[in-house]
Amino acid sequence: MITEDYSEYCPCCGERWSEYWDDEDGTEQPMIYGENVYKTSPTMFRESAIIYHADGRKEIVVHESKGDI
């Protein structure tokens, strides 16, 4: 589990992790800030994403530029 040895509170940042979720919070596809991870363009801070599936698979998604708009 990724959050196995986490600290619940950081003195400068506050609460760091939350285990509160509902079924309504989930989506059919992985998302980054509400955008489907498979359709996300690269940004100055992110060129790829790593998805850790519940069955243990690790998937690396490389964002491809959509070209000039």
Side-chain angles (χ1 to χ4, degrees):
M1 182 173 184
I2 294 173
T3 60
E4 193 168 292
D5 293 320
Y6 74 95
S7 169
E8 290 185 20
Y9 186 81
C10 172
C12 64
C13 302
E15 196 168 324
R16 298 184 57 163
W17 299 97
S18 175
E19 293 188 17
Y20 304 107
W21 63 84
D22 292 320
D23 288 340
E24 295 83 33
D25 295 335
T27 59
E28 291 295 320
Q29 295 292 325
M31 307 290 265
I32 297 176
Y33 298 115
E35 187 176 354
N36 185 320
V37 71
Y38 300 108
K39 298 178 181 177
T40 302
S41 294
T43 69
M44 154 181 189
F45 302 105
R46 178 184 60 245
E47 294 179 358
S48 64
I50 301 173
I51 302 168
Y52 295 91
H53 294 271
D55 64 5
R57 291 179 296 127
K58 177 180 171 182
E59 178 182 5
I60 299 173
V61 179
V62 178
H63 305 302
E64 295 187 22
S65 180
K66 297 178 185 174
D68 295 333
I69 297 177

